Amino acid sequence: MPAPIVVASNRGPIAFARGAGGGITAKRGAGGLVTALSGALAASGGLWIASAMTEADREVAARGRVGAEGADASAYELRYLGFEPESFDRYYNGWTNRVLWFLHHYLWNLPQTPVFDAETGEAWDAFVAVNRTFAEAMAEEGDRLGPGVAFLIQDYHLSLAPAMLKELRPGARIAHFSHIPFAGPSYMRILPERFRTALLDGLLGADVVGFHAPEWADRFLLSCRLLPGARVDLRRRIVRWRGREVRVRVNPMGLDVEALREEASRPDVVRATDELREWKGDTTLLLRVDRAELSKNVLRGFLAFDRFLEARADWRGRVRFLALLNPSREDIPEYAAYVGECIRTAELVNERWGTDSWQPVDARVRDEYAQTLAAYGLYDALVVNPTLDGMNLVAKEGPMLNTRDGPLILSETAGAFQELQRWALAVNPFDVDQTASAIASALDMPADERAARRRGLRAAVRRNPPSRWLDSQLSDLGLAGRHTPAG
Ligand code: ADQ
């Protein structure tokens, strides 16, 4: 029997909601993370600890440990931690979304933001308190499960929990994994020293600190040099800190291709495919799929399309750019303003080039996953041009479902670039002329080259199943053996 696992993440694998009949319904989250970790939990025992994000989650949280059966084919236990809504908001929106996300994605507009004041201080205190609650819950569950437990802590929300857990249980085996980029030292110095030191010290409480791409791992190592007394070995990716050796690892997460294909065969996706086919008629389809998110670079994508239409009169009337933007963080003013600006820019492109029978851009800000999966099947080229992205799963999902050999235009600053670069059209996300040229190259590309690139992309995605991501973390913790079926 493999060692039990305790997973901790802000968002849990199952979202609870109040159903029409008044009872609580449960729905499993999508994505490789849930697949890889829930499979492992079912195989080895253990549980998943997460924040209660909704009122229904909080009701479930009050029951203590619950089973995931019913919402997930894998049987494992969940424990949702309930927090007082106001302090949860300070931790989640005030600190993790507004400070850490902006920090690690280089999103601040430095002449104006950030401003650190009493309010950020309160948000930090809430962040510390939530991390402490997680660390205490992990320690308690670890004691219950017995010796040899592997603690797998996910993402920037829980940057402090590794050191807190290590202090509570010095022998605990802890891996932390960041799903996003990491700020280098010059940007880290924007944070007041007490926050910066606590964040780095918090992560270094883990035995293994993981990232999707080499650049994020290297930036973390360089930032660790800001810690007085830390000894950083860049070549071996090791940090010596507080008498321990912490290993920094690059471990890109794979895609659960079979689960994605199964989702894409659902009747609502088939219906959405018919609708999209009718909508696009015989025009060529350029697609982007993103959370409506500052780092996804939607605005420059539209500007690049505008340049493309300016340069290429022969494509006017024959191509449509569909942007499927899943609403995100709408309470944060920067997000509302950015999405508004993206929509205005799309309208300007339409006013400039559109005709009575042809509108070049269609930007849809809606949560419609079935439409997304349908659009993956139909695109003629896919634009993934984030300014910075930890991995970017869209770049992997699109090629696996596409049926038209559509080329992938990909930022060299997305984590996925590491695995896919050979077969993608690379762009500097800030260079709109280069992005416009990449759109032209993708749409003009001969059929044999399109097919060869499609084969290359699919093989690259297949080479890295989600089980590998998990197994590497466990073996880095000294726990051998496969915990999940091969992806
Ligand atoms: P995100 O920033 O959300 O993830 P991404 O990796 O592109 O970025 O994942 C988005 C996911 O949402 C895709 O799997 C996509 O299919 C899905 N999706 C799109 N529309 C949806 C909808 N309406 N409903 C539900 N799902 C939808 C963060 C990091 C990334 C990193 C991932 C995983 O920012 O860099 O790749 O975590 O580690």
Side-chain angles (χ1 to χ4, degrees):
M1 183 79 178
I5 294 173
V6 173
V7 177
S9 63
N10 178 58
R11 192 179 293 275
I14 304 215
F16 295 95
R18 170 103 22 233
I24 293 211
T25 60
K27 190 169 165 252
R28 180 189 192 269
L33 175 75
V34 177
T35 309
L37 292 173
S38 57
L41 279 172
S44 61
L47 89 168
W48 194 317
I49 304 176
S51 302
M53 307 277 290
T54 63
E55 217 174 298
D57 283 355
R58 279 192 286 278
E59 236 180 280
V60 171
R63 296 184 206 154
R65 278 191 300 276
V66 294
E69 305 91 335
D72 193 329
S74 315
Y76 57 92
E77 284 193 311
L78 299 170
R79 178 168 160 191
Y80 277 20
L81 304 174
F83 297 99
E84 189 268 310
E86 241 175 65
S87 60
F88 186 79
D89 179 63
R90 279 200 282 274
Y91 141 78
Y92 184 60
N93 288 315
W95 190 265
T96 66
N97 284 345
R98 291 212 71 180
V99 179
L100 289 185
W101 184 272
F102 278 62
L103 167 74
H104 293 310
H105 289 89
Y106 292 23
L107 288 175
W108 281 314
N109 169 20
L110 289 185
Q112 290 169 331
T113 59
V115 174
F116 293 101
D117 57 12
E119 199 180 323
T120 19
E122 281 179 16
W124 170 264
D125 291 344
F127 174 66
V128 173
V130 168
N131 271 263
R132 191 167 305 287
T133 305
F134 266 91
E136 284 164 359
M138 282 189 277
E140 199 180 284
E141 296 296 344
D143 294 347
R144 188 179 60 85
L145 290 163
V149 178
F151 293 94
L152 303 179
I153 304 178
Q154 305 303 308
D155 236 350
Y156 56 103
H157 310 89
L158 301 180
S159 313
L160 304 180
M164 290 170 169
L165 177 59
K166 200 58 141 190
E167 201 179 335
L168 289 169
R169 299 290 182 273
R173 299 192 221 209
I174 307 171
H176 184 281
F177 191 88
S178 287
H179 293 262
I180 64 171
F182 201 88
S186 349
Y187 217 74
M188 272 307 265
R189 290 181 84 109
I190 296 169
L191 277 188
E193 193 271 338
R194 70 184 179 110
F195 299 141
R196 176 172 88 218
T197 298
L199 281 173
L200 293 167
D201 177 57
L203 288 168
L204 290 171
D207 303 293
V208 182
V209 177
F211 296 93
H212 280 310
E215 197 173 337
W216 319 148
D218 291 340
R219 287 190 197 171
F220 172 70
L221 287 159
L222 290 169
S223 288
C224 284
R225 285 181 165 170
L226 299 171
L227 282 173
R231 290 203 358 243
V232 178
D233 182 335
L234 282 177
R235 199 180 52 79
R236 293 169 60 220
R237 293 203 170 113
I238 284 175
V239 183
R240 275 177 230 283
W241 176 243
R242 295 191 189 277
R244 293 168 43 247
E245 227 180 49
V246 180
R247 279 167 297 156
V248 179
R249 288 285 178 265
V250 179
N251 190 7
M253 195 169 75
L255 186 69
D256 185 352
V257 177
E258 304 326 318
L260 182 71
R261 291 228 160 108
E262 206 178 304
E263 285 245 43
S265 63
R266 285 179 347 205
D268 55 343
V269 180
V270 176
R271 268 197 306 279
T273 305
D274 291 342
E275 280 162 22
L276 275 179
R277 265 211 193 95
E278 200 179 317
W279 166 83
K280 97 180 182 69
D282 56 7
T283 55
T284 293
L285 180 62
L286 189 64
L287 176 72
R288 68 175 308 135
V289 168
D290 309 89
R291 271 188 308 108
E293 156 59 50
L294 304 178
S295 61
K296 303 293 181 181
N297 206 22
V298 178
L299 193 61
R300 288 193 193 83
F302 291 155
L303 294 176
F305 189 54
D306 180 66
R307 306 268 164 111
F308 164 75
L309 291 174
E310 187 172 69
R312 294 293 301 270
D314 56 322
W315 274 104
R316 290 180 211 150
R318 293 170 49 214
V319 57
R320 300 193 76 176
F321 191 0
L322 177 64
L324 299 180
L325 307 175
N326 191 12
S328 184
R329 305 179 186 172
E330 292 166 290
D331 297 342
I332 300 183
E334 286 90 339
Y335 280 66
Y338 180 72
V339 172
E341 207 179 327
C342 291
I343 299 294
R344 272 192 299 286
T345 305
E347 283 166 1
L348 286 176
V349 178
N350 286 341
E351 276 165 28
R352 188 167 181 206
W353 305 110
T355 62
D356 288 346
S357 58
W358 172 68
Q359 291 292 288
V361 185
D362 192 337
R364 305 181 183 177
V365 187
R366 286 179 226 153
D367 176 3
E368 284 188 33
Y369 190 45
Q371 190 177 66
T372 296
L373 296 177
Y376 280 156
L378 295 178
Y379 69 76
D380 297 287
L382 180 65
V383 179
V384 180
N385 66 328
T387 51
L388 274 186
D389 215 327
M391 168 57 76
N392 196 295
L393 294 174
V394 171
K396 294 185 167 186
E397 291 167 353
M400 297 316 289
L401 292 186
N402 187 246
T403 57
R404 303 176 61 85
D405 291 352
L408 169 68
I409 296 166
L410 183 60
S411 277
E412 44 202 30
T413 48
F417 191 74
Q418 179 69 17
E419 291 167 276
L420 306 180
Q421 56 182 303
R422 192 160 159 219
W423 309 104
L425 296 168
V427 290
N428 170 324
F430 305 97
D431 186 340
V432 288
D433 285 335
Q434 187 199 29
T435 309
S437 301
I439 293 174
S441 304
L443 298 185
D444 293 336
M445 193 179 284
D448 54 345
E449 188 182 343
R450 291 166 69 93
R453 285 181 186 261
R454 189 262 294 149
R455 279 195 300 276
L457 287 169
R458 288 199 183 172
V461 172
R462 286 235 181 248
R463 263 196 295 280
N464 184 16
S467 52
R468 181 189 289 181
W469 176 76
L470 179 74
D471 285 344
S472 314
Q473 287 180 75
L474 294 173
S475 84
D476 284 338
L477 287 178
L479 299 163
R482 294 192 80 79
H483 283 70
T484 48

